[in-house]
């Protein structure tokens, strides 16, 4: 579900279950989960989220701030940038001769988008066979709070910054979103399915929470 809070579009997932009260959880990844009693009406859920709007926006801003690079990026040949979990000199990733800082920044972002699309495509082919699912499509986009998402139309979205992560962390995000084709919420069945493919998925979640701020331009 989506809602506008403080002039920004906020997306959240709803988990229905045998509970008496509605609760809202915000994870270090920026994922927002609303846990609600069975048969709770959408408007009731939306009102609950609106009531917590200031708190939600504040936490999301804190997450975004934590992902802001702790040091100034050096857009020059000897500047170092992450790619698939390892640091490389800028000139090892893109052409740097005769380029302005603005052009280098733009070219590097294009490099990450292209790399991410290629790697994600390869990993989807591997894991969709294991999970016996087929996404309708996938896109790479820029996001400050989400590493990936899946909608009811079976369309997957991945953050281009994943190209900076180790391949096994990328695998976790791919598996996570593919499992949403089987379970749209984050109930026990969902996590059991994720765990059946990647037993140490919690370590990958912890990696993103801890080092995600370094995976940025």
């Amino acid at each position: 579900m989506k809602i506008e809070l403080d002039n920004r579009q906020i997306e959240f997932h709803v988990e229905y279950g045998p509970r008496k009260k509605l609760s809202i959880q915000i994870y270090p990844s920026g994922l927002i989960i609303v846990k609600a009693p069975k048969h709770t009406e959408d408007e009731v859920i939306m009102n609950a989220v609106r009531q917590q709007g200031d708190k939600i926006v504040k936490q999301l801003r804190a997450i975004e701030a934590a992902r802001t690079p702790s040091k100034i990026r050096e857009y020059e040949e000897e500047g170092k940038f992450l790619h698939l979990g390892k640091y490389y000199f800028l000139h090892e990733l893109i052409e740097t001769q005769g380029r302005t800082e603005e052009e280098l920044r733009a070219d590097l972002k294009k490099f990450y988008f292209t790399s991410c699309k290629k790697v994600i495509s390869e990993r989807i082919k591997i894991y969709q066979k294991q999970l016996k699912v087929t996404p309708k499509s996938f896109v790479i986009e820029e996001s400050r709070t989400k590493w990936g998402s899946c909608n009811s139309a079976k369309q997957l979205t991945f953050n281009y910054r994943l190209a900076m992560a180790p391949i096994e962390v990328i695998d976790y995000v791919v598996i996570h979103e593919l499992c949403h084709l089987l379970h749209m919420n984050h109930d026990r069945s969902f996590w059991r399915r994720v765990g059946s493919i990647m037993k140490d998925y919690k370590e990958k979640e912890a990696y993103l929470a801890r080092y995600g701020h370094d995976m940025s331009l």
Side-chain angles (χ1 to χ4, degrees):
M1 299 177 72
K2 295 182 179 180
I3 190 172
E4 187 169 308
L5 298 174
D6 193 30
N7 296 318
R8 59 189 290 173
Q9 194 80 357
I10 303 296
E11 183 176 350
F12 59 92
H13 296 276
V14 182
E15 294 182 359
Y16 299 94
R19 64 184 78 251
K20 295 182 179 181
K21 296 182 179 181
L22 184 148
S23 66
I24 301 174
Q25 292 181 294
I26 303 177
Y27 292 82
S29 64
L31 176 68
I32 302 173
I33 302 292
V34 176
K35 296 185 178 181
K38 289 182 179 179
H39 312 303
T40 302
E41 295 182 357
D42 289 352
E43 189 57 33
V44 172
I45 294 173
M46 296 293 275
N47 284 334
V49 174
R50 288 192 190 97
Q51 290 175 7
Q52 296 292 319
D54 290 343
K55 179 181 177 181
I56 292 172
V57 171
K58 184 177 180 179
Q59 287 190 243
L60 289 178
R61 284 176 176 165
I63 291 171
E64 292 170 2
R67 289 179 179 170
T68 300
S70 56
K71 58 182 179 180
I72 297 176
R73 297 297 186 189
E74 297 179 358
Y75 286 89
E76 54 186 35
E77 286 192 9
E78 299 305 311
K80 288 188 175 183
F81 294 84
L82 279 168
H83 182 230
L84 300 182
K86 297 181 180 180
Y87 278 100
Y88 292 87
F89 290 118
L90 183 59
H91 67 83
E92 294 180 294
L93 302 178
I94 62 172
E95 176 59 48
T96 58
Q97 292 295 321
R99 313 292 285 171
T100 66
E101 181 174 327
E102 185 176 346
E103 290 172 333
L104 290 173
R105 184 190 297 268
D107 288 350
L108 186 58
K109 181 175 284 190
K110 289 179 183 178
F111 167 81
Y112 282 129
F113 264 91
T114 300
S115 175
C116 189
K117 184 175 182 179
K118 179 177 182 295
V119 174
I120 293 292
S121 177
E122 293 172 349
R123 310 318 282 181
I124 284 178
K125 290 177 183 178
I126 293 173
Y127 292 110
Q128 70 177 10
K129 291 180 180 179
Q130 295 184 39
L131 290 164
K132 298 180 180 179
V133 296
T134 303
K136 182 177 181 181
S137 62
F138 80 91
V139 296
I140 308 301
E141 65 176 26
E142 182 172 3
S143 174
R144 294 290 299 277
T145 58
K146 296 183 297 182
W147 295 109
S149 64
C150 171
N151 64 26
S152 57
K154 296 186 177 182
Q155 297 169 323
L156 308 183
T157 300
F158 297 94
N159 193 324
Y160 84 95
R161 294 188 294 115
L162 282 171
M164 305 178 197
I167 195 69
E168 61 269 19
V169 174
I170 299 175
D171 282 350
Y172 161 66
V173 179
V174 169
I175 292 168
H176 184 115
E177 301 311 331
L178 286 175
C179 283
H180 276 313
L181 297 176
L182 300 169
H183 307 278
M184 280 303 292
N185 55 28
H186 290 85
D187 58 14
R188 291 182 180 178
S189 296
F190 169 81
W191 290 115
R192 277 198 297 267
R193 198 69 186 96
V194 172
S196 70
I197 302 297
M198 178 175 280
K199 297 185 185 302
D200 61 349
Y201 70 87
K202 289 185 178 181
E203 293 181 12
K204 309 306 184 289
E205 279 193 322
Y207 181 96
L208 289 172
R210 183 174 182 180
Y211 299 108
H213 66 283
D214 286 330
M215 294 160 51
S216 60
L217 297 181

